[in-house]
Amino acid sequence: MATKCYLLGCDLGKSLDYTSFAVIEMAYDLTIGDSLYHLIGLDRIQGVDYPVIVDLIEKTIERLEKEMSSYDSYPFGGPILAMDASGLGAPIKDFLKDRHVLNQRGRQLFPVVFTGGEAARFDPATHNYNISKSLIISNFLSLMQHHRFDYAPNLQALPLLEQEISNFKYHLTPSGHTGFDAQSGFHDDLICAICIPLIISEWRFAKRLRR
């Protein structure tokens, strides 16, 4: 049997904005001595109340947990939820904690807050991972360049994802840091839902498995 784990990424928006979900299969490849990522699920919803979003996350975690039971035990547990915890993501994190959805039976929660500059750090006071969007997007591009990330060709949201990728632009901030942002008027919820769990996996798990 293969050693695999599922990552669930969430980018949370206001009631009139999109909230997006990405399911990524992470597997350790003995040939290259590193982890590979395969996007198997991608979707977005709009105009949905927080309790409904929490229900969706809980049901998805339970489904992925059942599917993981057919694989060898992954050394770091799982499924792993990595979510946007900035702004409106904070109450979702609180809902999940109150309902004890995560941090049990191997399930893990990693809240991520977007920051400026090019820094990444764990905040022990809030238990958030404060990571710049520049690092998050750069990690995603690096994984694609090194053929460690791919996606199922039959995803319905794939054209929307490709459009988001094409609308992301590199720029320099006034302080001289590298920045990646969607052009004005375009969305970036799908790509963020993918990139958040990827940066957490690379930072917390993948490098500990490398030869």
Side-chain angles (χ1 to χ4, degrees), residues 124-194:
T126 63
H127 296 97
N128 291 333
Y129 290 80
N130 300 328
I131 311 176
S132 72
K133 184 175 281 189
S134 172
L135 286 179
I136 290 173
I137 301 300
S138 296
N139 177 70
F140 171 68
L141 296 176
S142 176
L143 290 173
M144 291 188 66
Q145 181 180 8
H146 291 89
H147 306 289
R148 293 180 52 214
F149 173 85
D150 64 10
Y151 42 76
N154 59 342
L155 295 173
Q156 291 187 351
L158 188 56
L160 296 173
L161 172 63
E162 292 174 337
Q163 184 180 41
E164 285 192 8
I165 293 174
S166 67
N167 289 323
F168 249 79
K169 298 299 179 182
Y170 161 88
H171 63 88
L172 288 176
T173 66
S175 59
H177 292 113
T178 301
F180 288 97
D181 287 295
Q183 295 185 73
S184 178
F186 291 92
H187 297 286
D188 63 359
D189 51 285
L190 292 172
I191 193 171
C192 286
I194 295 168

Side-chain angles (χ1 to χ4, degrees), residues 86-148:
S86 54
L88 295 172
I92 296 291
K93 182 181 77 169
D94 292 338
F95 268 119
L96 291 168
K97 287 185 174 182
D98 290 343
R99 289 173 55 168
H100 307 289
V101 175
L102 282 304
N103 298 325
Q104 58 171 310
R105 299 194 301 273
R107 303 174 182 180
Q108 299 183 64
L109 169 63
F110 293 90
V112 173
V113 174
F114 295 133
T115 62
E118 298 179 359
R121 70 180 186 90
F122 174 71
D123 186 340
T126 63
H127 296 97
N128 291 333
Y129 290 80
N130 300 328
I131 311 176
S132 72
K133 184 175 281 189
S134 172
L135 286 179
I136 290 173
I137 301 300
S138 296
N139 177 70
F140 171 68
L141 296 176
S142 176
L143 290 173
M144 291 188 66
Q145 181 180 8
H146 291 89
H147 306 289
R148 293 180 52 214

Side-chain angles (χ1 to χ4, degrees), residues 11-96:
D11 183 67
L12 302 157
K14 299 177 182 178
S15 59
L16 296 180
D17 293 330
Y18 289 113
T19 289
S20 292
F21 303 91
V23 177
I24 301 170
E25 182 184 81
M26 174 174 61
Y28 182 75
D29 189 303
L30 290 172
T31 305
I32 66 171
D34 216 335
S35 296
L36 299 177
Y37 303 94
H38 183 57
L39 179 67
I40 60 174
L42 187 65
D43 201 2
R44 59 163 42 147
I45 56 177
Q46 188 179 27
V48 177
D49 293 335
Y50 284 169
V52 177
I53 293 175
V54 172
D55 284 339
L56 286 172
I57 291 174
E58 184 172 11
K59 290 176 181 177
T60 302
I61 289 291
E62 290 174 350
R63 176 176 61 82
L64 295 176
E65 190 174 55
K66 290 179 181 178
E67 293 185 17
M68 281 184 63
S69 65
S70 63
Y71 298 133
D72 288 342
S73 177
Y74 201 75
F76 306 118
I80 293 164
L81 171 63
M83 57 173 283
D84 166 26
S86 54
L88 295 172
I92 296 291
K93 182 181 77 169
D94 292 338
F95 268 119
L96 291 168

